[in-house]
Amino acid sequence: MKENREKIKAFLARVVGDYDLQDNEDIFGLGFVNSMFAMQLVLFVEQEFKISIENEDLEIDNFNTVNALVNLVERKTAVLTSN
C-alpha cells in the first residue's frame, strides 16, 4: 500500500536525513540505525499502523528495509482484517 510506504519513509527520513534511501536498502547495514532507534521503529510501527509486534516478528529481516517494513505491516494488518 502506497500510503504505508510513505509513512514508513517519512519516519525513516528522521535518521537518514538527505540520503536518498531506496526501498530495498538495508538501513542497519548502512549504519543509520542503532539499538535505540530500532526500538523507536518498532514502537512507531505498532502505534502508526495499530498492530502488535510479537516476539516472533522481531527479526532483522522484518525491519531492515522499507520493503520489509511494508510487508510486515501488510501481513499484520491482513491478519487483523481477516479476524
Side-chain angles (χ1 to χ4, degrees):
M1 198 181 218
K2 186 174 180 168
E3 183 179 314
N4 292 347
R5 185 173 306 278
E6 295 303 320
K7 288 178 180 179
I8 290 167
K9 288 184 94 162
F11 181 79
L12 292 175
R14 296 178 3 189
V15 294
V16 301
D18 292 335
Y19 181 80
D20 184 23
L21 182 66
Q22 300 302 303
D23 291 352
N24 62 347
E25 284 187 289
D26 185 341
I27 58 175
F28 291 86
L30 291 170
F32 287 119
V33 178
N34 59 28
S35 59
M36 180 63 78
F37 186 76
M39 291 173 25
Q40 292 173 342
L41 182 56
V42 171
L43 191 60
F44 161 77
V45 168
E46 288 185 320
Q47 291 176 344
E48 182 67 37
F49 301 104
K50 311 285 190 271
I51 59 176
S52 188
I53 301 299
E54 309 297 333
N55 284 341
E56 61 267 15
D57 299 320
L58 293 175
E59 296 183 19
I60 189 96
D61 290 344
N62 287 328
F63 294 90
N64 63 346
T65 67
V66 171
N67 287 338
L69 284 157
V70 169
N71 290 337
L72 174 66
V73 167
E74 290 177 357
R75 271 196 324 273
K76 299 295 278 187
T77 54
V79 169
L80 287 176
T81 57
S82 69
N83 287 337

